[in-house]
Amino acid sequence: MTQALKPLLIKLGGAVLENEQALANLFSALTAYLDKQQRPVLLVHGGGVIVEDLLSKMNIVSQKKNGLRITPFEQIPYVAGALAGTSNKLLMSKALQAGLSAVGLSLADGFSCKVTQLDPDLGAVGVCAPNNPALLYGLLAAEHLPVISSIGIGEDGRLYNVNADQAAIAICELVGAELVFLSDVDGVWDADKQVIPELNTELADKLIADRVIQDGMAVKVKAALEAAEQLGYVMLASWKNPENLVSLLAGQAVGTKVIK
């Protein structure tokens, strides 16, 4: 693919899946953008909110090790159903309603990613690496919108749940895409609650040490810095402002640019 057609990968945070208006805004912005541009777009998503809801309804309490959810292999059918099933098809339905030719996928389709077990103590939790881009290149060339869940299949034939941020990075490496993390915040704030236009490791470390960046935002920033190490830079922006989404898709500075 030429530089002009470098794909854009949007990683969607799980909370947007519970917000019908935000989803409608997102896909409306995508439709408006794709009507004018020929740049290929992909979506990668998790769905922890939907997984937790399903497990709680089944009276299954999630346990964690070092902040990571333990997923026993007997639970992975339910987790895969929530992510590759419910979450994926919910996004597809909104995309199709907006007139976009969405194709629901997992990390395993077309051998796109190799998945291995992260830690035996975590059970069916995997890590993925880019493998074969042929399927995704074909879909993008035909102007389809791949909607990719973070469920993979290992060489052992078992289902694995992969961290959606890490899955997004692997898919970016696979097809040479730029990465945008869309969540419920409009970027990284400084001490005056103003969005920081550009953030590097040195500044991030200082803001985390000063507790300006903390809790969930610290997790997001660390994930973005890890992604920037491999991809050069990533964007952190919000799905809450549809007018900003169109600007972001057009390559304008919206949110926080995270660099190495």
Side-chain angles (χ1 to χ4, degrees):
M1 290 191 178
T2 65
Q3 185 66 25
L5 294 179
K6 191 169 186 178
L8 177 71
L9 188 147
I10 299 171
K11 188 271 171 177
L12 286 178
V16 73
L17 294 169
E18 293 191 310
N19 190 321
E20 293 231 356
Q21 188 58 54
L23 285 177
N25 291 343
L26 169 66
F27 288 110
S28 176
L30 272 177
T31 302
Y33 171 73
L34 292 171
D35 281 345
K36 299 174 184 175
Q37 305 289 333
Q38 295 300 310
R39 187 183 193 186
V41 176
L42 311 89
L43 296 182
V44 169
H45 68 89
V49 175
I50 290 177
V51 170
E52 288 289 356
D53 184 53
L54 175 64
L55 294 181
S56 67
K57 286 177 179 175
M58 300 174 67
N59 295 317
I60 297 173
V61 178
S62 292
Q63 296 183 336
K64 292 190 175 183
K65 176 188 176 184
N66 299 327
L68 295 173
R69 186 206 311 271
I70 298 172
T71 304
F73 278 100
E74 59 267 23
Q75 290 180 18
I76 192 62
Y78 309 124
V79 175
L83 295 177
T86 304
S87 300
N88 190 267
K89 301 320 170 201
L90 173 64
L91 289 171
M92 279 192 61
S93 70
K94 297 300 181 186
L96 293 170
Q97 280 183 309
L100 298 167
S101 179
V103 179
L105 301 169
S106 72
L107 299 173
D109 289 287
F111 296 108
S112 295
C113 290
K114 282 187 175 180
V115 175
T116 54
Q117 188 178 41
L118 174 60
D119 178 348
D121 289 343
L122 294 174
V125 175
V127 290
C128 67
N131 186 47
N132 187 341
L135 174 63
L136 291 179
Y137 277 153
L139 291 172
L140 294 175
E143 300 185 1
H144 296 298
L145 173 69
V147 180
I148 307 166
S149 75
S150 57
I151 291 294
I153 299 174
E155 291 182 352
D156 56 6
R158 291 171 136 183
L159 293 170
Y160 286 93
N161 183 17
V162 176
N163 175 275
D165 290 344
Q166 200 243 332
I169 295 168
I171 296 293
C172 278
E173 292 182 306
L174 185 69
V175 298
E178 295 178 350
L179 175 58
V180 175
F181 285 117
L182 279 190
S183 68
D184 54 357
V185 293
D186 53 3
V188 183
W189 289 356
D190 61 19
D192 298 321
K193 299 196 182 304
Q194 299 297 310
V195 173
I196 301 169
E198 190 168 286
L199 183 69
N200 59 22
T201 303
E202 183 180 0
L203 178 56
D205 287 346
K206 182 180 186 306
L207 293 173
I208 290 171
D210 293 343
R211 297 194 62 76
V212 174
I213 298 174
Q214 56 183 309
D215 303 327
M217 179 51 72
V219 174
K220 287 187 177 72
V221 166
K222 288 174 182 175
L225 287 168
E226 288 177 17
E229 277 291 322
Q230 298 175 61
L231 304 174
Y233 74 91
V234 300
M235 297 296 300
L236 283 175
S238 172
W239 40 257
K240 290 185 175 180
N241 303 311
E243 66 278 5
N244 286 350
L245 286 174
V246 177
S247 300
L248 179 68
L249 291 167
Q252 298 175 27
V254 174
T256 299
K257 184 176 185 178
V258 181
I259 62 175
K260 290 192 283 187

